[in-house]
Amino acid sequence: MSIPKRGTRKIVVDGEPFIWLIRRQATNSQADYCCGYIHVAVEHAQEPGSVLAIRTDKPHSENWITEVKPVKPKDVARWILQAMESGWQPKTLGAPFIVQVVGECIAKV
């Protein structure tokens, strides 16, 4: 599975090129329909393999209750490094590697 190329951003982490994309629609929690969060998808730019799916703790712009906190490239770079340390192999085909942002770190889901 790969992410669509349209709307992606490029980033280089440890000399490796990646593309990343913010999901367009908020993913709503079952408890409260108005509190969606930003989700990010990442894959290697030259050798697509496993997709990294990041569930952030940052409110989506469609969330009209909370102030929006943007996802910055430095956040994505940090999450990519942490995911690789947690076992994500971006050049190896396989199921999406899903992680949840917990404060400054990520946890495998």
Side-chain angles (χ1 to χ4, degrees):
M1 182 175 129
S2 66
I3 62 176
K5 304 300 181 244
R6 186 174 187 197
T8 60
R9 298 169 176 103
K10 297 178 182 179
I11 191 167
V12 176
V13 178
D14 276 354
E16 293 288 334
F18 292 91
I19 57 173
W20 61 285
L21 172 73
I22 294 176
R23 186 173 173 184
R24 293 178 192 250
Q25 294 182 351
T27 302
N28 298 324
S29 67
Q30 292 178 353
D32 194 352
Y33 71 91
C34 64
C35 298
Y37 293 94
I38 295 173
H39 288 196
V40 178
V42 180
E43 76 177 358
H44 196 274
Q46 296 171 341
E47 300 177 43
S50 175
V51 173
L52 173 62
I54 306 167
R55 299 176 182 172
T56 75
D57 57 355
K58 296 178 182 282
H60 196 279
S61 61
E62 291 179 4
N63 182 346
W64 48 272
I65 291 180
T66 310
E67 178 185 348
V68 175
K69 296 176 183 172
V71 171
K72 299 176 183 176
K74 70 177 183 176
D75 297 328
V76 176
R78 183 177 70 244
W79 296 332
I80 289 171
L81 287 171
Q82 291 176 358
M84 288 191 293
E85 290 171 2
S86 297
W88 177 50
Q89 298 176 354
K91 296 181 186 180
T92 304
L93 290 175
F97 193 85
I98 303 170
V99 295
Q100 175 75 42
V101 174
V102 180
E104 292 293 315
C105 299
I106 61 168
K108 177 124 172 50
V109 175

